[in-house]
Amino acid sequence: MNNINGRVWIFGDDINTDLMYPQICYTLPQEEKPSHAMEANRPGWAGMVRKGDIIIGGRNFGTGSSRPAADNLKNLGIVSVIAESINGLFLRNAVNSGLPALEIHGISGIAREGDTIVIDFINSIIKNARTEEMINFKPLPAFLMEIIENGGIINILKNKGMLGKPL
């Protein structure tokens, strides 16, 4: 994976997995679940998201339980989550879903909602396309990038013949 370009959505601190995957999602068909992401704190937001969008969050993004919140965001069209700090359980669930999640101190100040940013995984730089402001990040370890590049841990297991049929 080299670059991701996407429109930015800004969220604050302590965004809980309950917001990303509310209780109602447990009873809905798979295709309806993404439309309920973040509806408690941003009604209508899911309907405005386009495939390829990126979330920039504040501190403690993904706090809460191990609900399939990252899957829900990915199925909505979000291609990356970047935050000041990310709950460890959410981070690993995101990676296992094939959703790049990056913890970057200072990211909140690099973009406004609606800006386009470029995530350069080769050079570990994020650049705001409007302001050209850049911020470096610590790259994810190679084994986590392999999971993301393969679309998640389930795909890796299938491709290695360890779980069902190869994709």
Side-chain angles (χ1 to χ4, degrees), residues 20 25 29-37 45-46 71-72 75-76:
M20 296 176 238
C25 289
Q30 187 64 35
E31 65 275 2
E32 292 180 30
K33 294 175 183 186
S35 67
H36 293 278
W45 174 76
D71 278 338
N72 209 37
N75 291 336
L76 181 61

Side-chain angles (χ1 to χ4, degrees), residues 6-9 54 110-117 128-131:
R7 178 178 60 158
V8 170
W9 293 98
I54 296 170
I110 198 168
R112 296 188 308 217
E113 195 159 281
D115 283 355
T116 297
I117 61 169
N128 183 316
R130 178 182 57 84
T131 66

Side-chain angles (χ1 to χ4, degrees), residues 12-56:
D13 297 337
D14 302 313
I15 297 298
N16 194 294
T17 55
D18 296 357
L19 294 172
M20 296 176 238
Y21 191 88
Q23 184 68 31
I24 192 171
C25 289
Y26 287 108
T27 63
L28 296 174
Q30 187 64 35
E31 65 275 2
E32 292 180 30
K33 294 175 183 186
S35 67
H36 293 278
M38 306 291 197
E39 70 183 358
N41 66 328
R42 287 191 75 173
W45 174 76
M48 296 183 286
V49 171
R50 296 187 307 245
K51 184 172 175 53
D53 286 353
I54 296 170
I55 290 176
I56 293 181

Side-chain angles (χ1 to χ4, degrees), residues 109-112 115-118 125-136:
I110 198 168
R112 296 188 308 217
D115 283 355
T116 297
I117 61 169
V118 178
I125 295 171
I126 293 177
K127 181 179 179 181
N128 183 316
R130 178 182 57 84
T131 66
E132 299 192 9
E133 185 176 354
M134 293 186 280
I135 189 168
N136 293 313

Side-chain angles (χ1 to χ4, degrees), residues 45-102:
W45 174 76
M48 296 183 286
V49 171
R50 296 187 307 245
K51 184 172 175 53
D53 286 353
I54 296 170
I55 290 176
I56 293 181
R59 292 183 314 276
N60 202 24
F61 190 91
T63 187
S65 66
S66 66
R67 292 176 183 222
D71 278 338
N72 209 37
L73 294 177
K74 184 178 175 186
N75 291 336
L76 181 61
I78 298 297
V79 294
S80 184
V81 171
I82 309 164
E84 294 287 335
S85 64
I86 299 176
N87 175 276
L89 182 58
F90 177 84
L91 174 66
R92 192 51 202 246
N93 284 339
V95 168
N96 285 345
S97 296
L99 179 67
L102 300 169

